[in-house]
Amino acid sequence: MSNIEIKRPEILAPAGDVECIKNSLKFGADAVYLAGKQFGMRTASKNFDNDELKKAVELAHSYGSKLYVTCNTLPRNNEMAVLPDFLSYADEIGVDAFIIADLGVFELAKKYAPNVERHISTQAGIVNSDTANAWYNMGASRVVLAREMTFDDIVDIRAKIPKELEIECFVHGAMCVSFSGRCLISSYLTGRDANRGDCAQPCRWKYHLYEENREGQFFPVEEADGGTYLYNSRDMCMIEHIPELVESGISSLKIEGRAKSAYYCAVTTNAYRHAVNDYMKERENYTLKPWIKEELEKISHREYNTGFYLGKEPGQVTSNGGYIRHYDVVAVCESNEGNVSNITQRNKFFVGDTLDVLPPSGIPFTTVCKELKNKYGVAVDSAPHAMEELIMTTDKEIPPSSVIRKKRS
């Protein structure tokens, strides 16, 4: 990798709603990707109407960050008819780039949004330099490589494309069983088209086997009593491989999760931000700080894996379809005076609990809840009501905008 020009990669964070974009930016995203109400691959997210999209662009730019809009569905003719107006509007409000999978959408974006860069989605399945160069010659400024790439593959592609063409790769989050392909399982089983943002995630379901001559009788295909989840992919986590990611010439480290919570956006963005900053500062002396890796265990996730980067198949978690979850968010700090904080409750906790705090600086610490009062100033023993406003006294000062967590028993 010694011939690769080493540059600080962009941290690209997801946002499914307004709270998510605020957290992604607050915790260090160089850029945020999101979708309008149409043409994005996550209809399960709230997404952004035109007014919200304009405010999101302004918010991102106020942080000195960029905002990318996903137009990566495979739209039908009736959808293409309304696309030009959306593209023109995005150009008008200052969107920095579109993420595109379809060639027709790519050409329309050139015509109706000439000031917006065009990035090629992982849905396009780019696995070689000839394809990357073809997109570059048509006007793409970035390619999001297929998720099946190894480090050696990426280095080889980087060496054979123009230095101006950026490479973006997923480094964290959920992985589809079809990875970079066009999956039809959801359409076949439910009528919900995964290629138009409406995946029902049937790959996460439990399956049984039937024998054709024994109608109504099923034979469990199982590794445990709970049944078998044949297609349930692990989650990706590349936090332990920052040096390889940077030295491969990847321009942007992308975090999956537009359907995930604002808390997820904060934790993942913060972890990769600190890890990259540390590596760029320390280089040969770099070691991953233990707290950074621990942070990624404080969000809900499936079993972690390194995808295809190391030349191995990530595989599936066949024994269960659920998440690993060690921590709960119990409150958010709205404001404070010394060790007294005004908080909004999210999950139940008690006076005397040890709480884990993620402040805007991104360096977590623990503190003890010494006292709780409701908004009328009456002392209470616990915080049982979601979104209740409370006054909390702790043994350490909690900065405003901090996320407050509690480890599960």
Side-chain angles (χ1 to χ4, degrees):
M1 300 182 186
S2 58
N3 294 327
I4 303 280
E5 183 181 359
I6 303 299
K7 294 183 177 179
R8 181 189 299 272
E10 169 187 271
I11 302 299
L12 177 55
D17 59 30
V18 174
E19 188 180 6
C20 287
I21 188 174
K22 288 180 178 177
N23 269 11
S24 290
L25 293 167
K26 192 182 302 176
F27 284 90
D30 297 302
V32 176
Y33 68 104
L34 50 77
K37 292 295 186 181
Q38 295 176 284
F39 313 113
M41 288 294 285
R42 292 291 185 275
T43 58
S45 307
K46 291 182 180 178
N47 295 323
F48 294 75
D49 62 27
N50 281 1
D51 288 340
E52 290 170 336
L53 188 57
K54 184 174 187 293
K55 291 176 183 176
V57 172
E58 293 169 350
L59 180 62
H61 290 174
S62 74
Y63 276 82
S65 300
K66 295 181 178 181
L67 187 133
Y68 308 149
V69 171
T70 60
C71 291
N72 55 347
T73 59
L74 304 179
R76 302 295 193 266
N77 266 349
N78 63 313
E79 295 167 301
M80 293 293 273
V82 299
L83 183 57
D85 286 344
F86 178 73
L87 297 172
S88 295
Y89 178 74
D91 188 63
E92 177 187 326
I93 63 175
V95 166
D96 294 287
F98 295 122
I99 302 172
I100 298 170
D102 182 85
L103 182 58
V105 175
F106 184 82
E107 286 299 297
L108 285 176
K110 177 181 179 181
K111 179 178 181 180
Y112 291 100
N115 299 305
V116 183
E117 290 187 3
R118 290 170 293 169
H119 299 173
I120 306 306
S121 171
T122 192
Q123 289 288 108
I126 298 171
V127 295
N128 61 69
S129 56
D130 290 289
T131 303
N133 282 321
W135 281 111
Y136 175 74
N137 291 334
M138 287 189 287
S141 59
R142 178 183 293 185
V143 290
V144 187
L145 294 184
R147 302 192 198 197
E148 296 85 349
M149 298 287 92
T150 66
F151 280 125
D152 288 342
D153 294 331
I154 296 167
V155 169
D156 191 41
I157 290 173
R158 177 73 273 172
K160 295 175 181 177
I161 63 175
K163 64 180 182 179
E164 295 81 11
L165 179 59
E166 297 178 339
I167 289 176
E168 178 179 306
C169 293
F170 281 91
V171 297
H172 196 93
M175 292 189 288
C176 173
V177 69
S178 293
F179 298 98
S180 303
R182 295 182 177 182
C183 183
L184 298 174
I185 300 175
S186 179
S187 295
Y188 182 78
L189 293 180
T190 71
R192 290 172 53 179
D193 191 343
N195 300 305
R196 296 162 78 193
D198 203 23
C199 184
Q201 295 196 335
C203 57
R204 309 296 186 188
W205 300 349
K206 184 193 298 184
Y207 288 88
H208 297 284
L209 176 69
Y210 287 84
E211 203 280 321
E212 63 177 335
N213 294 318
R214 292 173 174 82
E215 186 174 351
Q217 183 179 357
F218 71 86
F219 300 84
V221 182
E222 60 185 24
E223 295 183 359
D225 292 340
T228 297
Y229 296 77
L230 293 175
Y231 313 111
N232 185 37
S233 295
R234 291 178 169 91
D235 282 0
M236 180 187 290
C237 179
M238 293 299 293
I239 199 66
E240 295 184 85
H241 299 275
I242 297 299
E244 298 98 311
L245 292 167
V246 176
E247 292 169 19
S248 296
I250 298 171
S251 314
S252 179
L253 308 184
K254 186 172 193 172
I255 299 166
E256 182 277 337
R258 284 193 293 118
K260 303 284 180 66
S261 68
Y263 171 61
Y264 170 94
C265 294
V267 172
T268 53
T269 303
N270 180 65
Y272 283 89
R273 170 82 285 148
H274 277 272
V276 167
N277 284 355
D278 288 348
Y279 176 70
M280 297 306 295
K281 191 187 311 178
E282 299 166 12
R283 293 296 294 277
E284 291 81 6
N285 300 317
Y286 169 79
T287 55
L288 178 67
K289 291 183 173 67
W291 72 261
I292 296 177
K293 182 180 177 182
E294 289 166 8
E295 277 296 295
L296 296 176
E297 295 294 338
K298 296 177 183 178
I299 53 175
S300 295
H301 62 88
R302 296 179 181 89
E303 290 181 24
Y304 280 138
N305 191 270
T306 54
F308 288 91
Y309 280 103
L310 304 181
K312 303 174 183 177
E313 292 185 4
Q316 279 67 47
V317 181
T318 57
S319 61
N320 67 81
Y323 283 90
I324 300 166
R325 185 172 179 176
H326 300 302
Y327 283 76
D328 291 314
V329 176
V330 295
V332 174
C333 180
E334 308 294 347
S335 62
N336 76 311
E337 289 187 18
N339 290 12
V340 179
S341 303
N342 295 302
I343 64 170
T344 303
Q345 189 262 21
R346 298 299 172 88
N347 279 291
K348 187 174 184 178
F349 68 100
F350 297 85
V351 172
D353 281 347
T354 297
L355 304 175
D356 186 293
V357 179
L358 181 64
S361 70
I363 309 295
F365 63 90
T366 58
T367 187
V368 175
C369 175
K370 296 289 190 181
E371 184 181 51
L372 279 173
K373 294 180 181 179
N374 63 24
K375 63 182 179 180
Y376 304 109
V378 178
V380 294
D381 294 327
S382 65
H385 306 299
M387 301 306 292
E388 183 179 10
E389 296 175 7
L390 296 159
I391 302 164
M392 180 172 68
T393 302
T394 51
D395 63 347
K396 296 175 186 173
E397 182 175 344
I398 300 177
S401 299
S402 294
V403 180
I404 304 167
R405 306 168 289 197
K406 178 183 174 183
K407 189 171 185 177
R408 288 187 166 190
S409 300

